[in-house]
């Protein structure tokens, strides 16, 4: 299942051959710097299966991100339903990403995220998309700003699944964009991030 494509990337469901990359990005200390837990291989495999099931059943989840020229996976970027009551209502759609270190600094996340925002608003008719991160995660926050999300400090929260042993990772800042705001932003964004016609859509 291909969700959408850009000039350089394919955003798709995960394949069995992607398991090693998925496990790598969920255990790499640099990738997971702002998360309290590094997943074991068994934990990563369980999450892989659960995430792919959600994608098949709902069309939402953290999709595999791959290069168009080789279909080799780089990491993920997705639109996923949150489960963070009372901080964010159940069903709020989050855009999030995680990329293997060798692919950092090439603009892949920004390119994929812009395509997924367009997909979310134009195809899925979402009213709003949010993202959130630890304030010290300046790389992710910079992406949020580049793709047109704006801070919403009234919704900042302490993440309920971050243990008290990691107090510096509990506070999360929220960025968001509504459909009407995205339309205005999309009208002036760079065409390099425009969607390509998928080679398949299931």
């Amino acid at each position: 299942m291909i969700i959408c494509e850009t000039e350089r990337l394919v955003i798709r469901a995960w394949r069995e051959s992607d398991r090693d990359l998925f496990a790598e990005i969920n255990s790499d200390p640099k990738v997971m710097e702002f998360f309290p837990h590094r997943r074991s291989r068994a934990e990563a495999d369980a999450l892989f299966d659960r995430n792919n099931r959600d994608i098949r059943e709902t069309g939402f989840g953290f999709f595999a991100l791959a290069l168009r020229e080789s279909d080799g996976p780089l990491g993920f970027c997705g639109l996923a339903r949150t489960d963070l009551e009372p901080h964010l209502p159940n069903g709020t759609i989050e855009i999030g990403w995680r990329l293997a270190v060798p692919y950092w600094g090439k603009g892949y996340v920004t390119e994929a995220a812009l395509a997924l925002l367009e997909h979310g608003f134009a195809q899925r008719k979402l009213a709003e998309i949010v993202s959130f991160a630890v304030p010290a995660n300046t790389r992710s926050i910079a992406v949020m700003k580049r793709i047109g999300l704006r801070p919403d400090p009234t919704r900042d929260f302490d993440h309920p699944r971050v243990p008290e042993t990691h107090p510096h990772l509990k506070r999360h800042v929220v960025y968001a964009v509504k459909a009407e705001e995205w339309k205005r932003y999309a009208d002036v964004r760079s065409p390099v991030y425009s969607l390509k016609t998928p080679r398949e859509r299931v």
Side-chain angles (χ1 to χ4, degrees), residues 34-38 158-172:
F34 298 105
F35 295 85
H37 179 61
R38 316 300 185 251
D158 289 342
H159 202 298
R161 291 196 286 274
V162 174
E164 298 298 331
T165 52
H166 294 73
H168 62 296
L169 299 180
K170 287 190 74 68
R171 194 64 176 171
H172 281 61

Side-chain angles (χ1 to χ4, degrees), residues 51-158:
N51 188 49
N52 231 12
R53 183 176 63 249
D54 289 344
I55 292 170
R56 289 195 307 270
E57 293 177 356
T58 70
F60 290 109
F62 292 112
F63 311 117
L65 189 59
L67 290 172
R68 279 176 64 91
E69 63 184 16
S70 66
D71 203 37
L74 319 176
F76 67 69
C77 188
L79 298 171
R81 298 180 186 275
T82 64
D83 181 17
L84 288 169
E85 289 276 12
H87 310 290
L88 295 171
N90 285 342
T92 298
I93 299 297
E94 165 202 3
I95 187 166
W97 45 79
R98 200 169 297 167
L99 208 62
V101 174
Y103 304 106
W104 288 12
K106 302 179 188 298
Y108 291 136
V109 166
T110 299
E111 184 171 335
L114 284 168
L116 283 175
L117 287 175
E118 185 170 339
H119 172 77
F121 289 127
Q123 303 299 322
R124 302 304 301 264
K125 306 302 181 185
L126 299 175
E128 182 186 52
I129 296 172
V130 308
S131 193
F132 46 88
V134 173
N137 190 351
T138 56
R139 293 176 65 92
S140 279
I141 291 173
V143 172
M144 295 175 199
K145 293 176 180 177
R146 282 198 297 273
I147 64 176
L149 276 65
R150 297 291 180 263
D152 187 351
T154 64
R155 290 196 279 181
D156 293 352
F157 65 97
D158 289 342

Side-chain angles (χ1 to χ4, degrees), residues 48 123 131 164 189 194-195:
F48 180 98
Q123 303 299 322
S131 193
E164 298 298 331
R189 77 183 187 278
S194 61
L195 285 170

